[in-house]
Amino acid sequence: MIALEIRTGRWADSAKMMRAARDAELLPGVERAFVFMGTPANIEEAQSLGLDADGLQDAGPSDLVIAVDGDDAAAGIAAAESALDSGGSGAAGAPEQTAAASLARVEADVAIVSVPGEYAA
């Protein structure tokens, strides 16, 4: 059974999404978990990997998609949501980030913009 949740207008960084999928897949009764932004390319990729969930095409590029396949898909969804909602940077053991104002204390000449491409400019 596949459970699908679409969080409209919700963004998460890729490290946090990967952690959320991994946490869900660690549970007994979860075969596979997908956590991704609903861009057309990501939806197409998920479908090519065998994700066939009703409602998947309703996701837009600014929506977060959580899909879990298995006998206990609901527990997988809950685990992924918990990982996404937890504080921290999304990488296990990584330091927790504070407000964006912390960037004012950093001397750097490189920035990483992680949003759907059409919004990056």
Side-chain angles (χ1 to χ4, degrees), residues 14-118:
S14 58
K16 189 167 265 202
M17 288 187 284
M18 287 186 290
R19 185 181 85 182
R22 185 194 69 225
D23 286 0
E25 288 180 342
L26 291 174
L27 296 177
V30 173
E31 300 285 327
R32 295 182 303 166
F34 302 84
V35 181
F36 59 92
M37 296 304 297
T39 65
N42 287 345
I43 290 172
E44 185 177 322
E45 179 70 16
Q47 288 173 324
S48 76
L49 294 171
L51 178 61
D52 183 27
D54 290 336
L56 182 59
Q57 293 297 332
D58 295 337
S62 298
D63 300 336
L64 182 70
V65 177
I66 305 169
V68 177
D69 187 8
D71 293 333
D72 199 357
I77 291 280
E81 288 176 330
S82 178
L84 289 166
D85 292 338
S86 70
S89 65
E96 186 168 328
Q97 295 293 315
T98 57
S102 65
L103 293 176
R105 297 186 306 265
V106 176
E107 291 186 33
D109 56 6
V110 175
I112 297 173
V113 178
S114 183
V115 297
E118 64 190 84

